[in-house]
């Protein structure tokens, strides 16, 4: 998979990409993540990428020229074979596990990290194929949401995680939250690991985990169970 991230602040994005699972996935060539500095595509001598909104109002808007130039340069490089051009925005569809699963099966994603007041609507109308939000709140820019999306998607790519079954048992994969997990020591400050987990009886352990997942989901996210019934 290839992922291109377009941003006005590349330094925010590049650091996390050099850590942990994302770095190892790139080193093993399971994913190719490229960061594009939007200012490199500015069309004037001052490398201006934002301007005041027409009609007045607070904030600045990312201009269409550099965004069109950057996206089209990426498209030209791959002969137009881009699966999705995704704009990270609070008014997009909410990123959830099913969406991450679907995106993980794509070959090429282009992510646009907005900033300031947002991006010129003409970019959204002409170039963007999907708009994604990571929650009902507003951040200073789309860089952190872009990283969240990248992490959620890349870990699902085959062979990225050491244990292929790990991602399949995560919360939300089947509409339930995950069960509690424990490790050594079996007793710590008078707190013991549930005996069933020490029994070696995998059938009982699986049944216990299923029960715990349903209980936790009922307590914390009953809306997920309601969705299952619908």
């Amino acid at each position: 998979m290839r992922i291109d991230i377009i941003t006005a602040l590349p330094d925010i994005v590049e650091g996390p990409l050099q850590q942990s699972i994302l770095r190892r996935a790139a080193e093993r060539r399971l994913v190719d993540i490229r960061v594009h500095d939007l200012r490199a595509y500015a069309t004037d001598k001052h490398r201006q990428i934002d301007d005041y909104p027409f009609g007045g109002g607070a904030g600045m808007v990312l201009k269409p020229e550099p965004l069109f130039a950057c996206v089209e340069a990426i498209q030209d490089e791959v002969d137009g074979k881009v699966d999705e051009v995704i704009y990270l925005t609070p008014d997009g569809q909410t990123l959830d596990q099913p969406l991450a699963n679907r995106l993980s099966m794509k070959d090429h994603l282009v992510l646009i990290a907005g900033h300031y007041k947002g991006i010129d609507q003409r970019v959204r109308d002409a170039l963007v194929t999907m708009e994604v939000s990571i929650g009902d709140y507003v951040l200073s820019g789309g860089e952190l949401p872009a990283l969240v999306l990248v992490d959620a998607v890349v870990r699902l790519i085959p062979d990225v995680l050491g244990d292929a079954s790990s991602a399949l048992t995560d919360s939300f994969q089947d509409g339930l939250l995950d069960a509690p997990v424990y490790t050594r020591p079996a007793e710590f400050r008078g707190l013991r690991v549930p005996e069933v987990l020490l029994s070696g009886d995998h059938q009982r352990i699986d049944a216990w985990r299923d029960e715990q997942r349903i209980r936790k989901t009922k307590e914390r996210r009953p809306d997920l169970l309601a969705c299952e019934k619908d």
Side-chain angles (χ1 to χ4, degrees), residues 10-147:
D11 289 347
I12 294 178
V13 175
E14 289 172 343
L17 297 178
Q18 304 304 315
Q19 306 298 321
S20 188
I21 290 173
L22 295 179
R23 176 180 59 81
R24 292 196 294 271
E27 289 175 346
R28 295 168 61 195
R29 298 188 177 182
L30 299 173
V31 64
D32 178 11
I33 305 176
R34 307 185 187 191
V35 180
H36 303 267
D37 184 351
L38 188 58
R39 291 191 184 278
Y41 296 86
T43 56
D44 68 308
K45 64 179 181 180
H46 300 295
R47 300 181 71 196
Q48 183 178 356
I49 59 172
D50 62 331
D51 210 335
Y52 295 102
F54 279 122
M60 303 290 282
V61 179
L62 289 178
K63 292 165 60 66
E65 303 99 308
L67 285 167
F68 268 82
C70 185
V71 172
E72 290 174 349
I74 295 169
Q75 292 173 329
D76 289 344
E77 183 183 346
V78 297
D79 296 324
K81 297 177 182 178
V82 173
D83 292 305
E84 300 285 356
V85 177
I86 301 173
Y87 173 45
L88 285 305
T89 174
D91 57 357
Q93 64 175 301
T94 302
L95 176 63
D96 57 15
Q97 197 61 44
L99 177 56
N101 289 341
R102 292 197 298 273
L103 292 176
S104 73
M105 293 184 283
K106 304 291 186 179
D107 292 321
H108 191 176
L109 305 177
V110 175
L111 310 184
I112 299 177
H115 209 71
Y116 311 116
K117 190 65 176 175
I119 66 175
D120 189 289
Q121 183 64 37
R122 289 166 289 189
V123 178
R124 301 173 77 163
D125 293 340
L127 297 177
V128 172
T129 63
M130 180 182 295
E131 300 187 346
V132 176
S133 167
I134 63 167
D136 295 340
Y137 47 87
V138 177
L139 299 175
S140 299
E143 286 76 20
L144 296 181
L147 288 169

